[in-house]
Amino acid sequence: MKFFLSTFTLLLVLSACGNKQASSSPLDGNGENNEVVKINENKEVLPDGEKETTYFPAIDRYLVEEIGRHYAPGEHCVPLHSVVARDERNAEDILVWGDFWVFNYNLVGDTLKCVSGGSHPGLMHIRQTEKGFEVTAFDRVEDGSNYLPTAKKIFGDKFDAFQTINSDDVAREKLRAEGLAEYVRKKGLNATMYQDYGWPAQELK
């Protein structure tokens, strides 16, 4: 797991990610989706009586509550994810492989200023409940010398697809900007720009 404080935000800019709404690509004959799917669904917790129809809000909650809290705090914690593959055959253990991110921001004037954040690639284990979904476990790719062996072990035959996502800095930065813009719209924030430490502010579109 990678933890970067605000003084290291420059590194985050070079490897930041965001994502688009999940595609509806069909699963293969084994119930597994091996397509590279870019996703960002920052949905709110549903009111009592309503049921979640997708597990991505559960992933968002896990990123904010279990991972985001370890970072230097900000006013807004924004979870983002790029999904490599999904296996939905077992409702008690839905598998989602991906590159998962958390960013904390403070809103200063009309600009979201990055405080902290980082990347957490790995495998999410998700259980379907009566009301929706919950993350039951997260197999994380480790840092340092353990990064490559743990990434290969966790992603297996999906490792090449993971590397494609993880190495495309330009695409990930574009997707992060799109995810932030969607977050601002959903939250009704008075923000028109976002900024990483040491870099010029960028317009939210």
Side-chain angles (χ1 to χ4, degrees):
M1 177 164 46
K2 301 178 182 178
F3 294 120
F4 302 97
L5 300 183
S6 57
T7 54
F8 292 95
T9 307
L10 174 60
L11 297 178
L12 297 177
V13 175
L14 299 179
S15 57
C17 84
N19 20 17
K20 300 178 181 178
Q21 192 172 15
S23 75
S24 56
S25 54
L27 302 180
D28 63 21
N30 294 320
E32 183 173 346
N33 182 351
N34 287 316
E35 295 184 15
V36 176
V37 183
K38 316 269 188 196
I39 297 169
N40 177 41
E41 294 190 8
N42 292 301
K43 294 187 176 180
E44 302 295 334
V45 176
L46 296 177
D48 290 341
E50 294 189 31
K51 184 176 180 179
E52 290 176 343
T53 58
T54 174
Y55 41 75
F56 294 111
I59 293 176
D60 287 342
R61 288 193 296 271
Y62 183 86
L63 291 173
V64 170
E65 296 169 6
E66 300 299 327
I67 294 180
R69 64 187 177 89
H70 293 289
Y71 286 95
E75 296 170 347
H76 301 279
C77 184
V78 183
L80 303 168
H81 27 91
S82 292
V83 171
V84 176
R86 298 170 284 174
D87 184 340
E88 301 170 334
R89 290 172 290 180
N90 182 359
E92 292 296 314
D93 190 21
I94 298 167
L95 306 177
V96 181
W97 293 263
D99 197 2
F100 305 97
W101 291 75
V102 173
F103 292 99
N104 287 320
Y105 293 89
N106 287 332
L107 182 58
V108 181
D110 66 348
T111 303
L112 283 169
K113 293 182 177 285
C114 188
V115 176
S116 59
S119 170
H120 303 265
L123 169 61
M124 292 275 185
H125 296 262
I126 302 165
R127 181 173 71 92
Q128 187 169 10
T129 69
E130 291 183 359
K131 188 171 181 180
F133 300 85
E134 63 180 3
V135 175
T136 59
F138 182 35
D139 302 335
R140 307 180 188 190
V141 174
E142 298 178 17
D143 283 339
S145 61
N146 289 327
Y147 179 86
L148 193 58
T150 55
K152 287 183 175 180
K153 179 180 179 180
I154 290 169
F155 285 93
D157 60 0
K158 306 164 187 64
F159 179 72
D160 289 343
F162 163 65
Q163 281 193 310
T164 298
I165 285 179
N166 190 254
S167 63
D168 193 340
D169 298 340
V170 174
R172 290 202 309 272
E173 177 59 17
K174 177 177 180 290
L175 293 168
R176 178 172 72 122
E178 292 173 353
L180 274 176
E182 180 64 15
Y183 180 88
V184 166
R185 284 192 292 271
K186 287 182 177 180
K187 295 291 185 180
L189 300 181
N190 183 29
T192 61
M193 311 283 284
Y194 70 100
Q195 186 175 23
D196 293 297
Y197 181 82
W199 287 74
Q202 302 292 320
E203 183 179 358
L204 286 168
K205 299 179 180 180

